[in-house]
Amino acid sequence: MTTKYEPEKVEQRARDYWDRERCFEVTEDPDKEKFYCLTMFPYPSGQLHMGHVRVFTINDVIARYQRMQGKHVLQPMGWDAFGMPAENAAIKHGVPPAEWTYKNIDYMREQLKRLGYAYDWSREVTTCRPEYYRWEQWLFTRLFKKGLVYRKNAIVNWDPVDQTVLANEQVIDGRGWRSDALVERREIPQWFMKITAYADELLDNLDNLDGWPDSVKTMQRNWIGRSEGIELSFIVEDEEEPLTVFTTRPDTLMGVTYMAVAAEHPLATKVAANNPDIAAFIEECKTSHAAEAMMETMEKKGLPLGISAIHPISGEAVPLWVANFVLMSYGTGAVMAVPGHDQRDWEFARKHDLPVTQVIRPADGSEIDISEAAYLEHGVLVNSGDLDGLDFTQAFDAIAQRFEADGSGRRTVNYRLRDWGISRQRYWGTPIPIIYCDDCDAVAVPEDQLPVVLPENVTVTGEGSPLKRMPEFYETTCPNCGKPARRETDTFDTFVESSWYFSRYACPDNDEVMLDAREAYWMPVDQYTGGIEHAILHLLYSRFFQKLLRDEGLSSADEPFTNLLTQGMVLKDGAKMSKAKGNTVDPQDLINKYGADTVRLFMMAAAPPEQSLEWSDDGVQGAYRFLKRFWYATDRHCAPGTVEDIAASTDAQLNLRRKTHQTIAKVSDDIGRRYKFNTAVAATMELLNAVTRFDDTSPAGRAVVQEALESIVLLLAPIVPHICHELWQQLGHDGSLLVAAWPATDEAALVQDMIEIVVQVNGKLRARISVAADADAEEVKKLALADLNVQRFIANKVIRKTILVPGRLVNVVV
RNA sequence: GCCCGGGUGGCGGAAUUGGUAGACGCUACGGACUUAAAAUCCGUUGAUUGAAAAAUCGUGCCGGUUCGAGUCCGGCCUCGGGCACCA
């Protein structure tokens, strides 16, 4: 008699067991080897989407596998609970963001539990709770006193109708997403964290992150963008202040034919005062988008300012332009243009009939035509007076010395990385703990007045932050002088919360200190898994925060994440699934229909973790069918009763045993080293197929099947834990599968007498031959040449050479 | 525009260090079982040629290195991610 596979019931029983036994709650145990296994925590958007299921399942598989390896595994879960969607929902439905968020969290927590993830729920962290964000407010005030946070003006997207600051994604074709008004660039004062102070360490430490993908490290290196160059000053006619520029190519200095400043540059502002054309141009630049991608792709425009700088070597006048592609926030807001040796300068010069001068020639003496394109390579200087003939390094040094001698320039290092602007003019975020006093300026909220609690019962309209309309929030007194003062109403960028939550999981209940001794036990995270879209910002900010925490004496770890796995996106219709695009797929339907194990299995079988995965409803059936086959195969095998331990003897029995141990070896490598869960699933499917085909109910045959099925249960336990929990007991085991050890490969079972060798002639496959596993090279070649089909292709030809790849192939070259 | 990835049958993917291209699964088709359907089981499934044995072509495009290239090199095309206020 067979029992039906009913995933709903099977999974309920497994979950009840794990809950009852508190299987996944861990405490610090110095005698055990810890393994901290973490995914990027989710934003509580309402329901889980396929991207969540993918990343959480990947991480759960690793956590459960490591546990079977005997590690003491911590896998926590929490909520990145502040953010824009809650405000958008509030505008749309009139529900306060807090209420909406907590409701979503409750629903999504149940979904996660239904999926059977091995989380230690006792450590749950929710970033919108004061007991969490108070500590980042506290850290902020410490950094403020240390000088690592400061205030300066920065450009934002301003919606003049809604009277509010817009995120880049809320600007659509230059217009506000709700008001449809033309968006303006506006400068407002904002708080910044000095990430640039750690630029070199963030860059250098990448070399030690062996457990990170090269692609992510490369992206971060390029993002930091360290470049060595010279900062030098040009005297501007009739101006007191010289114009300072940074260049990595001082060797091209004699090729400077014009200079350009940003629209926001003081020189441009000054000229605009008496020049309506320039004023209009600057005004036009104000309506452009704040995002760099937009700046880089828009048409390069500029106007001559009508004033000139003096070339510091030749003494010639160099015309000054204002241009929309020069960024005020990068470098000095001014550039020297060398159209002969910079492609963008070249194109701009062509368009505006500015002279193009060649000052570099190729070192190999080849001819170039500067009128066709800019020559970008390093070479030898020409048309540069006494610098002619120098190479790049010599010219760099000569020019650096010349400027350093008279104090008008210096060698310096420039970074593409900018300081991190953390102010947001939004309500649903951590209040920035600053008080503004007319006499004392900006004052940090004293420690004993923290946290600054965000009021949760508010109405959000979409026109500015509700905090600005709440005197009961912003009216306060100066902690310094006691006079009436005003609280900061801006909140933190939500990346602040996600930059240290992984440490807080170690001690989420501590209301005395930010981090305690438990942090030292668990940190750093051994395995961090998350989307590739976070390759730069979140991961770089988290690395930065780790260094801040270390330098505050709160942690001893230099880096937060030892090993990083970046999973690809789940795409729908070729695009990233996102709340904004509304192309999400709700996995709940699939869970209801097939159970969590089927969904987990399908996600793992469909693609390797690092690749993006185009979502399709097909294929889930296959995963479900496999689990049913697995269930019935075990059921059928167990029905006759106890299995005796009898050694395999027939060829078929030995073959199945070999397949079993080949599979153990393969899956161990796939999960433990390669993180290729799709091929691990395929291998166990092959093994089950072999079990199903194996037709031998003799005592020895049943013993071999018992071993094969037990192996499948153990190998699949991390991926489909519920069904394995039940089948493990059915196979006669009393204890929990969770404490079972990962299976070991029996090398003796892998031994084969005969192996297959491929025979090629001139690299083309012509035959497969069977040879003794211990046959020597000559014997294999002899057998290869003796094959009839091989003979057809080498007949009447001279064998020039024979290549033998031991155990694999022979290639006969004729 | 710049940086980082990807492109293999009808589809998702496999091929781990330059050595059998298409494992495993899905779909489709054929068959078994059934009064019937569902479920399940068995078989076929890159293209072309062939009765078969087998042969030729084939991993986005063009070229190169090699006895041998999906894999390495050069140049393109195309799709995806990131570009600092989506998370």
Side-chain angles (χ1 to χ4, degrees):
Chain A
M1 196 191 114
T2 55
T3 55
K4 206 172 167 232
Y5 172 50
E6 295 174 295
E8 188 87 15
K9 291 178 184 167
V10 170
E11 294 178 4
Q12 180 75 56
R13 285 193 288 269
R15 278 202 309 277
D16 287 347
Y17 177 86
W18 298 331
D19 281 351
R20 196 167 60 242
E21 304 290 322
R22 299 178 165 232
C23 291
F24 308 122
E25 287 182 27
V26 284
T27 51
E28 299 68 31
D29 184 343
D31 296 332
K32 290 182 181 165
E33 189 185 350
K34 68 100 183 177
F35 190 90
Y36 185 2
C37 194
L38 185 72
T39 59
M40 295 176 188
F41 63 168
Y43 178 80
S45 55
Q47 57 276 316
L48 293 185
H49 58 68
M50 282 302 165
H52 290 132
V53 178
R54 190 176 191 198
V55 64
F56 299 152
T57 304
I58 288 167
N59 205 69
D60 197 47
V61 170
I62 296 170
R64 287 173 179 269
Y65 170 80
Q66 288 296 341
R67 188 182 171 121
M68 290 174 83
Q69 296 290 320
K71 303 275 178 63
H72 193 47
V73 176
L74 168 62
Q75 194 187 199
M77 180 47 69
W79 308 98
D80 189 13
F82 277 136
M84 241 177 23
E87 294 193 11
N88 295 343
I91 296 167
K92 206 170 160 189
H93 302 117
V95 188
E99 192 187 321
W100 183 83
T101 301
Y102 294 133
K103 204 178 94 239
N104 288 348
I105 288 174
D106 288 342
Y107 182 73
M108 290 172 76
R109 188 190 299 109
E110 287 313 302
Q111 287 192 302
L112 290 175
K113 287 185 175 173
R114 182 66 186 83
L115 280 157
Y117 298 129
Y119 295 139
D120 180 351
W121 281 106
S122 73
R123 293 169 183 267
E124 185 177 357
V125 154
T126 305
T127 61
C128 62
R129 303 288 312 162
E131 53 275 25
Y132 178 81
Y133 64 69
R134 66 176 295 182
W135 296 112
E136 67 193 42
Q137 291 179 333
W138 173 80
L139 183 70
F140 177 88
T141 60
R142 306 263 301 187
L143 298 172
F144 177 71
K145 282 161 195 155
K146 244 183 173 179
L148 280 169
V149 298
Y150 65 98
R151 201 156 56 125
K152 72 168 182 189
N153 283 349
I155 290 165
V156 295
N157 299 307
W158 178 255
D159 186 322
V161 170
D162 278 349
Q163 291 285 299
T164 193
V165 174
L166 299 179
N168 286 334
E169 70 157 17
Q170 294 175 315
V171 181
I172 299 148
D173 296 330
R175 290 172 182 277
W177 64 314
R178 294 178 68 235
S179 67
D180 206 35
L182 271 177
V183 170
E184 297 168 7
R185 288 155 64 88
R186 176 176 281 205
E187 269 202 331
I188 57 170
Q190 312 231 58
W191 289 97
F192 283 82
M193 284 182 117
K194 273 193 192 164
I195 190 171
T196 53
Y198 286 84
D200 275 324
E201 197 190 350
L202 288 166
L203 182 65
D204 293 343
N205 288 3
L206 287 171
D207 295 337
N208 308 327
L209 289 176
D210 299 326
W212 281 41
D214 288 336
S215 58
V216 174
K217 288 188 280 189
T218 305
M219 279 191 262
Q220 293 211 351
R221 268 187 206 105
N222 293 339
W223 183 263
I224 294 167
R226 184 182 196 277
S227 58
E228 291 181 3
I230 294 180
E231 198 176 81
L232 45 92
S233 300
F234 285 65
I235 290 163
V236 183
E237 286 172 352
D238 307 322
E239 288 289 329
E240 300 245 328
E241 282 292 305
L243 187 61
T244 305
V245 297
F246 172 83
T247 178
T248 57
R249 292 295 304 272
D251 57 321
T252 64
L253 183 59
M254 294 307 287
V256 174
T257 57
Y258 63 101
M259 298 179 78
V261 300
E264 294 90 356
H265 198 278
L267 268 178
T269 315
K270 198 168 169 183
V271 173
N274 301 310
N275 184 330
D277 288 345
I278 299 294
F281 179 75
I282 291 172
E283 205 52 39
E284 185 191 330
C285 288
K286 275 189 184 165
T287 59
S288 73
H289 204 290
E292 186 191 298
M294 298 294 173
M295 300 286 285
E296 291 281 338
T297 45
M298 71 192 175
E299 193 190 351
K300 310 283 183 289
K301 288 183 185 171
L303 282 180
L305 284 173
I307 52 176
S308 293
I310 310 297
H311 194 285
I313 294 179
S314 70
E316 286 174 20
V318 180
L320 239 55
W321 286 59
V322 56
N324 64 355
F325 55 85
V326 181
L327 302 176
M328 196 62 212
S329 55
Y330 182 54
T332 58
V335 295
M336 63 178 223
V338 185
H341 304 284
D342 179 283
Q343 194 57 31
R344 191 181 62 185
D345 294 346
W346 187 89
E347 282 160 20
F348 192 80
R350 271 309 182 87
K351 191 171 155 190
H352 298 284
D353 286 327
L354 290 155
V356 179
T357 314
Q358 181 181 351
V359 290
I360 303 290
R361 67 165 173 79
D364 62 8
S366 58
E367 285 299 311
I368 52 153
D369 185 357
I370 217 79
S371 66
E372 287 297 312
Y375 179 73
L376 309 178
E377 309 300 315
H378 287 179
V380 178
L381 275 70
V382 293
N383 301 327
S384 297
D386 60 346
L387 299 167
D388 280 356
L390 300 184
D391 66 15
F392 172 80
T393 313
Q394 292 163 339
F396 190 113
D397 288 340
I399 288 176
Q401 277 169 22
R402 195 172 296 193
F403 282 91
E404 278 166 347
D406 70 3
S408 62
R410 61 190 179 98
R411 287 167 208 258
T412 183
V413 175
N414 199 39
Y415 299 91
R416 208 188 74 92
L417 180 70
R418 307 197 295 261
D419 276 337
W420 176 14
I422 51 165
S423 295
R424 294 293 179 271
Q425 295 69 45
R426 306 194 187 288
Y427 155 73
W428 191 233
T430 301
I432 298 179
I434 288 285
I435 292 166
Y436 297 104
C437 167
D438 289 341
D439 293 344
C440 311
D441 197 18
V443 183
V445 174
E447 195 172 334
D448 60 5
Q449 292 175 30
L450 291 177
V452 178
V453 176
L454 182 75
E456 293 194 348
N457 190 17
V458 298
T459 307
V460 181
T461 62
E463 292 174 17
S465 165
L467 295 180
K468 288 188 167 28
R469 299 187 288 268
M470 298 176 77
E472 67 273 31
F473 175 78
Y474 63 73
E475 280 180 359
T476 185
T477 51
C478 174
N480 259 1
C481 65
K483 279 197 208 155
R486 195 181 165 89
R487 236 179 242 297
E488 171 68 87
T489 51
D490 283 359
T491 53
F492 282 146
D493 177 3
T494 57
F495 275 124
V496 175
E497 284 86 62
S498 57
S499 293
W500 69 284
Y501 74 103
F502 40 87
S503 297
R504 185 66 180 176
Y505 279 134
C507 49
D509 52 0
N510 196 323
D511 57 7
E512 301 288 321
V513 290
M514 186 173 187
L515 301 173
D516 63 29
R518 292 174 287 176
E519 186 271 354
Y521 180 81
W522 291 112
M523 284 297 287
V525 175
D526 295 279
Q527 177 67 53
Y528 195 42
T529 310
I532 184 68
E533 69 272 24
H534 294 294
I536 295 171
L537 294 180
H538 162 60
L539 289 171
L540 192 64
Y541 292 148
S542 297
R543 294 182 59 222
F544 168 50
F545 249 69
Q546 185 59 41
K547 293 172 202 310
L548 293 175
L549 294 171
R550 178 199 62 196
D551 292 348
E552 280 295 315
L554 295 163
S555 175
S556 57
D558 290 321
E559 287 286 338
F561 314 121
T562 308
N563 293 291
L564 176 70
L565 180 61
T566 52
Q567 110 274 8
M569 328 239 158
V570 181
L571 306 178
K572 179 85 197 305
D573 309 323
K576 173 187 178 180
M577 280 191 187
S578 74
K579 297 169 284 292
K581 292 199 189 86
N583 61 345
T584 53
V585 174
D586 188 357
Q588 195 61 44
D589 301 340
L590 296 173
I591 297 169
N592 295 345
K593 193 166 174 192
Y594 301 107
D597 280 340
T598 292
V599 176
R600 294 172 60 119
L601 180 63
F602 172 69
M603 290 305 284
M604 292 302 94
E610 307 223 302
Q611 275 182 34
S612 63
L613 161 72
E614 170 69 32
W615 176 255
S616 125
D617 289 310
D618 297 337
V620 180
Q621 275 282 351
Y624 186 56
R625 264 205 289 272
F626 170 75
L627 291 181
K628 277 198 282 190
R629 274 209 306 279
F630 183 24
W631 178 270
Y632 293 126
T634 308
D635 203 57
R636 215 164 32 244
H637 163 75
C638 292
T642 325
V643 176
E644 294 171 75
D645 189 10
I646 296 176
S649 59
T650 68
D651 277 354
Q653 289 163 4
L654 291 168
N655 284 343
L656 182 55
R657 272 213 84 213
R658 186 180 312 114
K659 184 76 183 168
T660 297
H661 286 277
Q662 281 171 345
T663 306
I664 292 171
K666 164 123 185 92
V667 174
S668 302
D669 188 48
D670 280 350
I671 297 183
R673 179 180 67 86
R674 298 208 305 150
Y675 300 120
K676 296 270 189 183
F677 311 111
N678 56 329
T679 53
V681 170
T684 54
M685 283 179 169
E686 281 189 56
L687 179 54
L688 184 71
N689 289 343
V691 169
T692 315
R693 278 196 300 270
F694 182 76
D695 184 24
D696 177 354
T697 50
S698 71
R702 294 194 65 221
V704 173
V705 170
Q706 175 81 14
E707 186 186 23
L709 289 172
E710 284 184 356
S711 300
I712 298 174
V713 168
L714 292 166
L715 298 175
L716 286 181
I719 298 173
V720 284
H722 310 88
I723 189 174
C724 289
H725 172 85
E726 192 124 332
L727 293 182
W728 185 243
Q729 290 168 4
Q730 209 183 334
L731 285 163
H733 298 275
D734 292 333
S736 164
L737 178 57
L738 288 174
V739 296
W742 188 255
T745 311
D746 178 0
E747 295 295 333
L750 296 176
V751 174
Q752 283 186 92
D753 297 340
M754 302 295 283
I755 55 170
E756 189 190 78
I757 296 282
V758 159
V759 186
Q760 297 179 335
V761 177
N762 289 342
K764 289 197 176 204
L765 174 67
R766 297 304 178 190
R768 295 156 208 268
I769 57 173
S770 186
V771 304
D774 57 359
D776 65 36
E778 284 313 307
E779 213 172 323
V780 173
K781 285 184 189 176
K782 213 173 90 188
L783 283 166
L785 293 174
D787 182 90
L788 282 179
N789 204 42
V790 173
Q791 281 291 325
R792 281 176 56 199
F793 287 92
I794 61 174
N796 308 321
K797 288 180 180 144
V798 180
I799 295 171
R800 291 198 288 155
K801 64 172 158 175
T802 313
I803 289 142
L804 179 89
V805 181
R808 298 197 75 107
L809 69 67
V810 176
N811 187 13
V812 183
V813 185
V814 293

